[in-house]
mmCIF file of all heavy atoms in Angstrom:
data_model
loop_
_atom_site.group_PDB
_atom_site.id
_atom_site.type_symbol
_atom_site.label_atom_id
_atom_site.label_comp_id
_atom_site.label_asym_id
_atom_site.label_seq_id
_atom_site.Cartn_x
_atom_site.Cartn_y
_atom_site.Cartn_z
ATOM 1 N N VAL A 248 95.717 74.199 4.536
ATOM 2 C CA VAL A 248 94.346 73.754 4.303
ATOM 3 C C VAL A 248 93.822 72.994 5.517
ATOM 4 O O VAL A 248 92.673 73.179 5.937
ATOM 5 C CB VAL A 248 94.275 72.889 3.021
ATOM 6 C CG1 VAL A 248 92.928 72.204 2.889
ATOM 7 C CG2 VAL A 248 94.562 73.731 1.801
ATOM 8 N N ILE A 249 94.653 72.160 6.118
ATOM 9 C CA ILE A 249 94.234 71.394 7.297
ATOM 10 C C ILE A 249 93.909 72.337 8.449
ATOM 11 O O ILE A 249 92.905 72.174 9.146
ATOM 12 C CB ILE A 249 95.322 70.377 7.683
ATOM 13 C CG1 ILE A 249 95.400 69.276 6.622
ATOM 14 C CG2 ILE A 249 95.051 69.772 9.046
ATOM 15 C CD1 ILE A 249 96.592 68.366 6.770
ATOM 16 N N LYS A 250 94.742 73.354 8.663
ATOM 17 C CA LYS A 250 94.475 74.322 9.737
ATOM 18 C C LYS A 250 93.205 75.119 9.447
ATOM 19 O O LYS A 250 92.439 75.431 10.353
ATOM 20 C CB LYS A 250 95.646 75.283 9.910
ATOM 21 C CG LYS A 250 96.957 74.624 10.210
ATOM 22 C CD LYS A 250 97.008 74.041 11.590
ATOM 23 C CE LYS A 250 98.418 73.600 11.883
ATOM 24 N NZ LYS A 250 98.560 72.287 12.365
ATOM 25 N N ALA A 251 92.956 75.440 8.178
ATOM 26 C CA ALA A 251 91.750 76.181 7.820
ATOM 27 C C ALA A 251 90.500 75.335 8.062
ATOM 28 O O ALA A 251 89.489 75.846 8.557
ATOM 29 C CB ALA A 251 91.819 76.617 6.359
ATOM 30 N N ILE A 252 90.561 74.049 7.736
ATOM 31 C CA ILE A 252 89.421 73.168 7.984
ATOM 32 C C ILE A 252 89.154 73.064 9.477
ATOM 33 O O ILE A 252 88.001 73.109 9.920
ATOM 34 C CB ILE A 252 89.675 71.777 7.361
ATOM 35 C CG1 ILE A 252 89.667 71.876 5.841
ATOM 36 C CG2 ILE A 252 88.635 70.773 7.826
ATOM 37 C CD1 ILE A 252 90.123 70.614 5.142
ATOM 38 N N ALA A 253 90.210 72.961 10.280
ATOM 39 C CA ALA A 253 90.037 72.904 11.735
ATOM 40 C C ALA A 253 89.422 74.202 12.255
ATOM 41 O O ALA A 253 88.556 74.170 13.140
ATOM 42 C CB ALA A 253 91.376 72.634 12.410
ATOM 43 N N ALA A 254 89.822 75.337 11.710
ATOM 44 C CA ALA A 254 89.253 76.615 12.148
ATOM 45 C C ALA A 254 87.774 76.710 11.793
ATOM 46 O O ALA A 254 86.967 77.191 12.596
ATOM 47 C CB ALA A 254 90.026 77.774 11.514
ATOM 48 N N VAL A 255 87.403 76.230 10.629
ATOM 49 C CA VAL A 255 85.991 76.232 10.231
ATOM 50 C C VAL A 255 85.183 75.322 11.151
ATOM 51 O O VAL A 255 84.060 75.657 11.555
ATOM 52 C CB VAL A 255 85.845 75.813 8.750
ATOM 53 C CG1 VAL A 255 84.403 75.524 8.396
ATOM 54 C CG2 VAL A 255 86.405 76.893 7.852
ATOM 55 N N LEU A 256 85.738 74.177 11.520
ATOM 56 C CA LEU A 256 85.040 73.276 12.438
ATOM 57 C C LEU A 256 84.828 73.923 13.805
ATOM 58 O O LEU A 256 83.784 73.731 14.432
ATOM 59 C CB LEU A 256 85.815 71.971 12.595
ATOM 60 C CG LEU A 256 85.726 70.991 11.433
ATOM 61 C CD1 LEU A 256 86.602 69.783 11.690
ATOM 62 C CD2 LEU A 256 84.303 70.564 11.199
ATOM 63 N N VAL A 257 85.784 74.689 14.277
ATOM 64 C CA VAL A 257 85.626 75.372 15.559
ATOM 65 C C VAL A 257 84.521 76.425 15.473
ATOM 66 O O VAL A 257 83.715 76.569 16.399
ATOM 67 C CB VAL A 257 86.962 76.001 16.012
ATOM 68 C CG1 VAL A 257 86.765 76.962 17.161
ATOM 69 C CG2 VAL A 257 87.939 74.906 16.387
ATOM 70 N N VAL A 258 84.440 77.135 14.361
ATOM 71 C CA VAL A 258 83.369 78.120 14.184
ATOM 72 C C VAL A 258 82.010 77.429 14.157
ATOM 73 O O VAL A 258 81.047 77.895 14.787
ATOM 74 C CB VAL A 258 83.606 78.946 12.901
ATOM 75 C CG1 VAL A 258 82.395 79.779 12.548
ATOM 76 C CG2 VAL A 258 84.832 79.821 13.059
ATOM 77 N N ILE A 259 81.917 76.303 13.465
ATOM 78 C CA ILE A 259 80.660 75.545 13.424
ATOM 79 C C ILE A 259 80.291 75.057 14.822
ATOM 80 O O ILE A 259 79.126 75.126 15.229
ATOM 81 C CB ILE A 259 80.778 74.371 12.434
ATOM 82 C CG1 ILE A 259 80.852 74.907 11.001
ATOM 83 C CG2 ILE A 259 79.617 73.401 12.582
ATOM 84 C CD1 ILE A 259 81.183 73.858 9.966
ATOM 85 N N ALA A 260 81.263 74.574 15.576
ATOM 86 C CA ALA A 260 80.991 74.099 16.939
ATOM 87 C C ALA A 260 80.535 75.245 17.837
ATOM 88 O O ALA A 260 79.637 75.060 18.672
ATOM 89 C CB ALA A 260 82.233 73.439 17.520
ATOM 90 N N GLY A 261 81.109 76.413 17.675
ATOM 91 C CA GLY A 261 80.664 77.570 18.455
ATOM 92 C C GLY A 261 79.225 77.932 18.155
ATOM 93 O O GLY A 261 78.430 78.217 19.064
ATOM 94 N N ARG A 262 78.867 77.884 16.900
ATOM 95 C CA ARG A 262 77.471 78.153 16.515
ATOM 96 C C ARG A 262 76.540 77.097 17.103
ATOM 97 O O ARG A 262 75.442 77.405 17.568
ATOM 98 C CB ARG A 262 77.359 78.188 15.001
ATOM 99 C CG ARG A 262 75.993 78.564 14.504
ATOM 100 C CD ARG A 262 76.012 78.809 12.994
ATOM 101 N NE ARG A 262 74.707 79.211 12.545
ATOM 102 C CZ ARG A 262 73.814 78.388 12.017
ATOM 103 N NH1 ARG A 262 74.112 77.109 11.868
ATOM 104 N NH2 ARG A 262 72.634 78.827 11.622
ATOM 105 N N MET A 263 76.970 75.851 17.094
ATOM 106 C CA MET A 263 76.169 74.772 17.665
ATOM 107 C C MET A 263 75.976 74.969 19.173
ATOM 108 O O MET A 263 74.894 74.706 19.705
ATOM 109 C CB MET A 263 76.817 73.417 17.385
ATOM 110 C CG MET A 263 76.752 73.005 15.934
ATOM 111 S SD MET A 263 77.749 71.546 15.573
ATOM 112 C CE MET A 263 76.855 70.298 16.442
ATOM 113 N N LEU A 264 77.016 75.434 19.851
ATOM 114 C CA LEU A 264 76.891 75.681 21.293
ATOM 115 C C LEU A 264 75.897 76.792 21.583
ATOM 116 O O LEU A 264 75.115 76.701 22.531
ATOM 117 C CB LEU A 264 78.258 76.019 21.892
ATOM 118 C CG LEU A 264 79.163 74.826 22.176
ATOM 119 C CD1 LEU A 264 80.533 75.304 22.603
ATOM 120 C CD2 LEU A 264 78.558 73.937 23.240
ATOM 121 N N VAL A 280 77.385 67.164 21.025
ATOM 122 C CA VAL A 280 77.837 67.086 19.629
ATOM 123 C C VAL A 280 78.811 68.215 19.330
ATOM 124 O O VAL A 280 79.829 68.010 18.648
ATOM 125 C CB VAL A 280 76.626 67.114 18.662
ATOM 126 C CG1 VAL A 280 77.081 67.275 17.228
ATOM 127 C CG2 VAL A 280 75.803 65.846 18.804
ATOM 128 N N ALA A 281 78.549 69.404 19.843
ATOM 129 C CA ALA A 281 79.449 70.540 19.622
ATOM 130 C C ALA A 281 80.808 70.296 20.261
ATOM 131 O O ALA A 281 81.851 70.604 19.669
ATOM 132 C CB ALA A 281 78.822 71.814 20.178
ATOM 133 N N ILE A 282 80.818 69.721 21.463
ATOM 134 C CA ILE A 282 82.092 69.397 22.119
ATOM 135 C C ILE A 282 82.844 68.351 21.303
ATOM 136 O O ILE A 282 84.070 68.415 21.164
ATOM 137 C CB ILE A 282 81.848 68.918 23.563
ATOM 138 C CG1 ILE A 282 81.211 70.029 24.401
ATOM 139 C CG2 ILE A 282 83.131 68.421 24.207
ATOM 140 C CD1 ILE A 282 82.048 71.276 24.522
ATOM 141 N N GLY A 283 82.136 67.400 20.731
ATOM 142 C CA GLY A 283 82.768 66.399 19.862
ATOM 143 C C GLY A 283 83.390 67.024 18.629
ATOM 144 O O GLY A 283 84.479 66.643 18.197
ATOM 145 N N VAL A 284 82.701 68.005 18.053
ATOM 146 C CA VAL A 284 83.240 68.699 16.875
ATOM 147 C C VAL A 284 84.502 69.473 17.241
ATOM 148 O O VAL A 284 85.479 69.483 16.487
ATOM 149 C CB VAL A 284 82.170 69.631 16.259
ATOM 150 C CG1 VAL A 284 82.765 70.511 15.181
ATOM 151 C CG2 VAL A 284 81.023 68.811 15.686
ATOM 152 N N VAL A 285 84.514 70.098 18.410
ATOM 153 C CA VAL A 285 85.722 70.806 18.865
ATOM 154 C C VAL A 285 86.869 69.811 19.048
ATOM 155 O O VAL A 285 88.012 70.086 18.665
ATOM 156 C CB VAL A 285 85.447 71.588 20.170
ATOM 157 C CG1 VAL A 285 86.735 72.099 20.784
ATOM 158 C CG2 VAL A 285 84.501 72.726 19.909
ATOM 159 N N PHE A 286 86.581 68.647 19.612
ATOM 160 C CA PHE A 286 87.611 67.624 19.790
ATOM 161 C C PHE A 286 88.190 67.189 18.446
ATOM 162 O O PHE A 286 89.408 67.082 18.285
ATOM 163 C CB PHE A 286 87.039 66.414 20.536
ATOM 164 C CG PHE A 286 88.011 65.285 20.700
ATOM 165 C CD1 PHE A 286 89.043 65.379 21.615
ATOM 166 C CD2 PHE A 286 87.896 64.145 19.924
ATOM 167 C CE1 PHE A 286 89.953 64.346 21.757
ATOM 168 C CE2 PHE A 286 88.801 63.108 20.064
ATOM 169 C CZ PHE A 286 89.827 63.207 20.977
ATOM 170 N N VAL A 287 87.319 66.958 17.464
ATOM 171 C CA VAL A 287 87.789 66.570 16.127
ATOM 172 C C VAL A 287 88.637 67.680 15.518
ATOM 173 O O VAL A 287 89.673 67.413 14.890
ATOM 174 C CB VAL A 287 86.592 66.222 15.214
ATOM 175 C CG1 VAL A 287 87.014 66.076 13.767
ATOM 176 C CG2 VAL A 287 85.920 64.940 15.690
ATOM 177 N N ALA A 288 88.237 68.926 15.703
ATOM 178 C CA ALA A 288 89.003 70.048 15.161
ATOM 179 C C ALA A 288 90.385 70.139 15.798
ATOM 180 O O ALA A 288 91.379 70.392 15.111
ATOM 181 C CB ALA A 288 88.232 71.351 15.367
ATOM 182 N N VAL A 289 90.463 69.917 17.104
ATOM 183 C CA VAL A 289 91.759 69.972 17.791
ATOM 184 C C VAL A 289 92.667 68.847 17.306
ATOM 185 O O VAL A 289 93.851 69.061 17.018
ATOM 186 C CB VAL A 289 91.569 69.923 19.317
ATOM 187 C CG1 VAL A 289 92.882 69.683 20.037
ATOM 188 C CG2 VAL A 289 90.919 71.201 19.803
ATOM 189 N N VAL A 290 92.119 67.645 17.195
ATOM 190 C CA VAL A 290 92.923 66.517 16.700
ATOM 191 C C VAL A 290 93.379 66.775 15.276
ATOM 192 O O VAL A 290 94.527 66.495 14.909
ATOM 193 C CB VAL A 290 92.125 65.199 16.820
ATOM 194 C CG1 VAL A 290 92.812 64.069 16.074
ATOM 195 C CG2 VAL A 290 91.937 64.824 18.275
ATOM 196 N N LEU A 291 92.491 67.314 14.447
ATOM 197 C CA LEU A 291 92.857 67.618 13.062
ATOM 198 C C LEU A 291 93.947 68.678 13.006
ATOM 199 O O LEU A 291 94.891 68.564 12.217
ATOM 200 C CB LEU A 291 91.626 68.082 12.296
ATOM 201 C CG LEU A 291 91.808 68.383 10.819
ATOM 202 C CD1 LEU A 291 92.211 67.108 10.074
ATOM 203 C CD2 LEU A 291 90.546 68.941 10.227
ATOM 204 N N ALA A 292 93.859 69.697 13.854
ATOM 205 C CA ALA A 292 94.871 70.755 13.846
ATOM 206 C C ALA A 292 96.226 70.236 14.322
ATOM 207 O O ALA A 292 97.267 70.628 13.802
ATOM 208 C CB ALA A 292 94.415 71.914 14.720
#
Side-chain angles (χ1 to χ4, degrees):
V248 170
I249 291 170
K250 302 289 189 231
I252 292 171
V255 168
L256 284 177
V257 167
V258 169
I259 291 171
R262 185 170 182 263
M263 290 171 68
L264 280 173
V280 170
I282 297 299
V284 171
V285 169
F286 177 74
V287 169
V289 168
V290 169
L291 183 63

